[in-house]
Amino acid sequence: MAEDAPRRQPTLDEVAERAGVSRSVASRALNNAPHVSRAKREAVERAVRQLGYVPNPTARALATRQTGAAALVVSGEDPSIFADPFFAQVIVGASAALEEADLHLMLCLAASDRGRKRVAELLRSRGADGVMLMALREDDPLTRMAEEARMPVVFGGRPVGPAPRWYVDVDNVGGAREATEHLVSRGRRRVAAICGRLDTEAGRARYRGYRDAMLAAGLEPFPARAGDFTEPGGAAAMAALLARHPDVDGVFAANDNMAAGALRTLRKAGRQVPADVAVVGFDDLGVAQITDPPLTTVHQPIEALGRETARMLVALLDGQDPTALLLPTRLVVRSSA
């Protein structure tokens, strides 16, 4: 009689599934790591007994170094940036994903020398299990720190330059192209672009999308007019556009805050929207629904950006090798264009 085939050893994924928890929670529970609830720890222990799971000693050694926290590092200059509707939604998404993995969320602002030193120390001391980096600018020191970090790092939004291995971003080029195509389809021929910061990949990518659509339509793109992603910046950029190009009949603003500023300037200048000048924004923040008129804009899944960035980090902590992710955008048509 043939010998019985050797019994396959159960995996940590199977333990997690039986216990009804994520793989990272199961790993930390098995290694007595902090920040695992008693109920989940008991569920994992029960699943281990039922399945006969034997932990891998190498994985155990790695897991015992976990702190139970992940850091969201933003390269911003003002602490109030975390109250910005964009970053507030990112935080909601990231926090929800980390909660599923029983990880705490740390928020760090790293624009000043002092802030960057704190982040550098966090990376050196492994004060968190992993880091999510956002709002990086060209030649940002945080990019170099990430390359040298001895812990998993995921970028929320691509940085300027070569694409990192792990990042989550939205289709900035495609969204800007669709916004501009919409303006052209409405008969607009003198379409200008109010860009975000051009030392960011989002700012550059949205201008590329605008430019691609204009050239495809046989129209001359306007030079990039930076508005720094703020409402006052958008208002100032619109005023400069009207002074230099009074015949402008369409505007793509690379975010809703700048679009709201552009609408304010157009109203002061006596221009009717959309009769004289049609305006399209990008983000689909709450402000887009309360502008006068309500703003046609490109919806980007901001909360999903935070959630998927955190999930990618958790996957890295679980020993997986996720691929970069590009989230889709869609046009939301309202009254401004």
Side-chain angles (χ1 to χ4, degrees), residues 92 227 243 259 308:
V92 168
E308 295 304 326

Side-chain angles (χ1 to χ4, degrees), residues 4 13 16-17 22 27 32 57 65 69 109 111 130 143 151 155 177 187 208 216 252 257 263 267 276 291 301 303 323:
D4 292 339
D13 287 320
E17 183 178 1
S22 70
S27 175
N32 294 316
R65 293 204 299 266
L109 197 63
T143 303
M151 66 171 66
F155 291 81
R177 185 189 303 117
R208 287 199 302 271
F252 164 61
N257 291 330
L263 290 174
R267 186 165 54 251
D276 299 325
T291 55
E303 189 172 322
T323 57

Side-chain angles (χ1 to χ4, degrees), residues 171-314:
D171 186 4
N172 289 303
V173 172
R177 185 189 303 117
E178 185 177 14
T180 309
E181 289 171 347
H182 177 74
L183 287 165
V184 172
S185 74
R186 293 295 194 266
R188 310 300 164 142
R189 293 297 178 265
R190 297 282 293 164
V191 179
I194 298 177
C195 305
R197 297 185 62 105
L198 292 175
D199 58 354
T200 67
E201 178 60 25
R204 294 182 181 186
R206 292 176 193 179
Y207 182 72
R208 287 199 302 271
Y210 154 81
R211 190 173 184 277
D212 290 349
M214 291 291 284
L215 292 174
L219 301 174
E220 183 67 26
F222 280 53
R225 176 72 62 175
D228 73 8
F229 288 126
T230 67
E231 194 270 352
M238 189 71 247
L241 278 170
L242 288 176
R244 189 171 181 84
H245 306 284
D247 58 345
V248 64
D249 63 2
V251 173
F252 164 61
N255 81 341
D256 290 347
N257 291 330
M258 293 190 299
L263 290 174
R264 177 162 59 87
T265 293
L266 288 167
R267 186 165 54 251
K268 286 183 178 179
R271 302 295 181 94
Q272 298 296 312
V273 178
D276 299 325
V277 183
V279 179
V280 178
F282 198 114
D283 280 343
D284 198 20
L285 298 174
V287 66
Q289 300 180 47
I290 61 174
T291 55
D292 182 20
L295 185 64
T296 294
T297 186
V298 176
H299 174 87
Q300 64 162 320
I302 303 172
E303 189 172 322
L305 174 65
R307 181 173 62 251
E308 295 304 326
T309 301
R311 284 178 175 172
M312 185 172 290
L313 182 61
V314 170

Side-chain angles (χ1 to χ4, degrees), residues 24 28 35 68-70 95 98-99 101-105 129 314 317:
S24 59
R28 289 200 299 281
H35 309 300
S95 180
L98 293 177
E99 185 176 350
D102 268 11
L103 287 167
H104 289 287
L105 176 63
D129 293 338
V314 170
L317 294 174

Side-chain angles (χ1 to χ4, degrees), residues 19-59:
V21 299
S22 70
R23 190 179 192 276
S24 59
V25 170
S27 175
R28 289 200 299 281
L30 287 171
N31 293 283
N32 294 316
H35 309 300
V36 180
S37 69
R38 179 177 179 180
K40 290 181 178 179
R41 197 180 299 275
E42 290 175 350
V44 170
E45 292 171 352
R46 186 163 53 251
V48 166
R49 291 194 300 271
Q50 293 171 348
L51 295 173
Y53 173 75
V54 178
N56 179 288
T58 301

Side-chain angles (χ1 to χ4, degrees), residues 140-160:
D140 198 311
L142 290 180
T143 303
R144 176 182 51 78
M145 292 181 194
E147 293 171 350
E148 298 172 353
R150 299 176 60 187
M151 66 171 66
V153 176
V154 176
F155 291 81
R158 277 187 56 180
V160 174

